[in-house]
């Protein structure tokens, strides 16, 4: 019976045409984001060697995050029907524009989608934070310290997330079996050469370093803040768990109640349950699928978690703090 429940929901979603491509939506979304990207760099060059470039750094951090959302959608094949077109879009948005390998990200992120919040299988649950008491208690040295105070360290650590993503992308180009390694590496190199050249040719060395630190730090903070409410504090599954697909995705995910501002700021990832159930669904359709999915979960008696943005952070941080407390028990 349970194996057929997802099929029932899938048929309803398809009947509503919610899995159809939204190329027009992504066309204007990409155009506006590209204008913001170019406008930010034009402002940077016009302002020149001045501390007033720091507001531009903050603006570009937000634009980089919006480009990352588009790359995320391309990685899930939400934009075009064909795999190649989505991959090429991802190369431009990810590797060239913001310095993140689309090949590495897709491989890593698909593992997360297959096993969300699953010990030993979800790469997002095996990073610098502990989602489960057993992992917290097993931490040693500096890792144990981070686990203990992870709720307090969470947002400061996000300032390093941009650098971490860049580093993982570079390592993947050299060590991971990703396709088109040469193109991935060449476009990553073009991004970093362009970014560093712009900063150090326009600004004095001190200002250039601060500009890069602010831009990359806020980029990581923004990205991490959009992912924070999605799974932290939701059910954690043991390695080898055989929960059916629908329950695995719904029980481990949390939605943030949508609005035009929230949907835009979070790149549609506030509809995390719908996104996990239908990864290839275009972002613009997630809000349309949300009532349908919530109703279906009520029909089959599966808890469906949706809350406000601030409440989602409160729940996530409370869960991290409770897990961190296990290090002293």
């Amino acid at each position: 019976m349970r194996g057929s429940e997802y099929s029932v929901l899938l048929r309803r979603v398809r009947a509503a045409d919610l899995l159809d491509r939204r190329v027009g939506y992504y066309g204007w979304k990409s155009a506006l984001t590209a204008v913001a990207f170019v406008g930010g760099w034009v402002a940077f060059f016009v302002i020149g060697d001045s501390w007033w470039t720091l507001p531009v750094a903050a603006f570009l951090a937000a634009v980089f995050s919006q480009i990352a959302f588009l790359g995320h959608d391309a990685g899930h094949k939400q934009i075009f029907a064909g795999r190649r077109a989505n991959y090429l879009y991802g190369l431009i948005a990810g590797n060239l524009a913001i310095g993140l390998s689309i090949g590495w990200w897709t491989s890593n992120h698909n593992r997360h989608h297959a096993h969300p919040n699953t010990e030993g299988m979800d790469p997002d649950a095996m990073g610098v934070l502990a989602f489960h008491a057993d992992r917290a208690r097993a931490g040693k040295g500096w890792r144990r310290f981070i686990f203990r105070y992870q709720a307090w360290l969470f947002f400061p650590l996000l300032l390093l997330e941009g650098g971490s993503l860049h580093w993982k992308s570079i390592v993947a180009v050299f060590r991971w079996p990703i396709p088109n390694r040469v193109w991935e590496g060449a476009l990553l190199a073009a991004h970093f050469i362009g970014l560093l050249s712009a900063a150090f040719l326009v600004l004095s060395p001190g200002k250039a370093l601060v500009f890069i630190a602010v831009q990359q730090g806020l980029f990581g903070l923004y990205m991490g803040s959009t992912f924070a409410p999605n799974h932290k504090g939701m059910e954690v599954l043991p390695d080898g768990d055989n929960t059916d697909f629908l329950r695995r995705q719904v029980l481990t995910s949390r939605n943030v109640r949508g609005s035009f501002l929230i949907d835009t700021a979070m790149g549609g990832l506030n509809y995390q349950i719908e996104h996990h159930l239908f990864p290839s669904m275009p972002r613009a359709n997630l809000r349309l699928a949300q009532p349908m999915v919530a109703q279906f979960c009520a029909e089959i008696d599966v808890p469906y978690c949706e809350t406000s943005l601030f409440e989602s952070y409160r729940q996530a941080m409370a869960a991290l703090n409770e897990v961190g407390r296990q290090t002293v028990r």
Side-chain angles (χ1 to χ4, degrees):
M1 173 61 182
R2 285 189 173 185
S4 64
E5 288 171 342
Y6 179 73
S7 298
V8 173
L9 178 59
L10 179 60
R11 284 195 294 271
R12 294 184 186 181
V13 166
R14 280 180 172 159
D17 299 326
L18 296 179
L19 292 178
D20 292 354
R21 301 303 97 189
R22 296 285 298 272
V23 178
Y25 166 84
Y26 279 110
W28 68 258
K29 192 78 173 177
S30 300
L32 289 178
T33 307
V35 168
F37 180 81
V38 173
W41 284 112
V42 168
F44 171 79
F45 285 106
V46 169
I47 293 171
D49 189 13
S50 167
W51 290 112
W52 285 106
T53 54
L54 294 186
V56 178
F59 174 77
L60 285 172
V63 174
F64 270 41
S65 298
Q66 290 296 320
I67 295 173
F69 294 147
L70 290 169
H72 165 272
D73 294 358
H76 280 298
K77 303 179 180 64
Q78 294 179 17
I79 301 178
F80 303 105
R83 182 190 66 82
R84 181 177 178 81
N86 282 294
Y87 179 69
L88 290 175
Y89 187 106
L91 278 177
I92 296 171
N95 295 59
L96 183 60
I98 62 175
L100 301 184
S101 165
I102 188 65
W104 162 74
W105 179 87
T106 301
S107 175
N108 192 70
H109 194 62
N110 285 346
R111 290 166 57 205
H112 159 69
H113 267 263
H115 305 283
N117 268 25
T118 303
E119 296 177 43
M121 302 188 76
D122 180 1
D124 290 358
M126 296 185 289
V128 72
L129 304 178
F131 290 3
H132 193 272
D134 290 344
R135 186 161 187 259
R137 285 192 289 264
K140 304 295 183 182
W142 66 267
R143 189 176 292 275
R144 185 179 183 85
F145 174 83
I146 290 178
F147 289 166
R148 175 65 184 89
Y149 299 103
Q150 59 184 1
W152 299 97
L153 293 173
F154 179 73
F155 288 105
L157 285 172
L158 289 183
L159 294 170
L160 305 176
E161 181 65 12
S164 175
L165 293 172
H166 293 314
W167 175 247
K168 290 175 181 177
S169 295
I170 294 170
V171 170
V173 166
F174 286 99
R175 298 182 181 177
W176 281 41
I178 60 176
N180 305 304
R181 186 188 308 273
V182 173
W183 275 109
E184 291 248 0
L187 291 175
L188 281 179
H191 168 82
F192 293 123
I193 291 171
L195 177 65
L196 294 174
S197 297
F200 283 95
L201 288 175
V202 172
L203 303 174
S204 65
K207 291 190 184 75
L209 290 173
V210 173
F211 175 87
I212 292 172
V214 169
Q215 197 273 330
Q216 291 295 309
L218 293 180
F219 169 49
L221 180 64
Y222 188 158
M223 288 295 296
S225 296
T226 61
F227 292 126
N230 298 345
H231 301 284
K232 295 171 182 62
M234 300 304 294
E235 186 167 336
V236 177
L237 305 176
D239 191 0
D241 179 81
N242 61 357
T243 302
D244 66 277
F245 176 79
L246 186 147
R247 285 167 177 77
R248 183 166 70 247
Q249 304 301 336
V250 175
L251 296 177
T252 61
S253 302
R254 177 194 294 111
N255 271 22
V256 171
R257 198 168 295 116
S259 66
F260 175 78
L261 179 60
I262 294 293
D263 293 359
T264 301
M266 300 188 72
L269 296 178
N270 49 306
Y271 301 106
Q272 190 67 194
I273 295 173
E274 289 70 34
H275 172 57
H276 264 258
L277 288 171
F278 308 102
S280 65
M281 180 181 288
R283 185 198 311 180
N285 290 346
L286 293 172
R287 65 180 181 85
L288 303 176
Q290 188 274 328
M292 186 181 300
V293 172
Q295 177 183 335
F296 187 77
C297 287
E299 291 174 13
I300 62 174
D301 198 26
V302 172
Y304 180 99
C305 182
E306 181 181 50
T307 186
S308 69
L309 178 62
F310 292 109
E311 175 61 16
S312 72
Y313 284 130
R314 188 201 66 77
Q315 292 180 12
M317 295 306 106
L320 289 178
N321 185 56
E322 180 57 30
V323 171
R325 288 162 59 92
Q326 305 304 310
T327 60
V328 298
R329 295 181 182 179

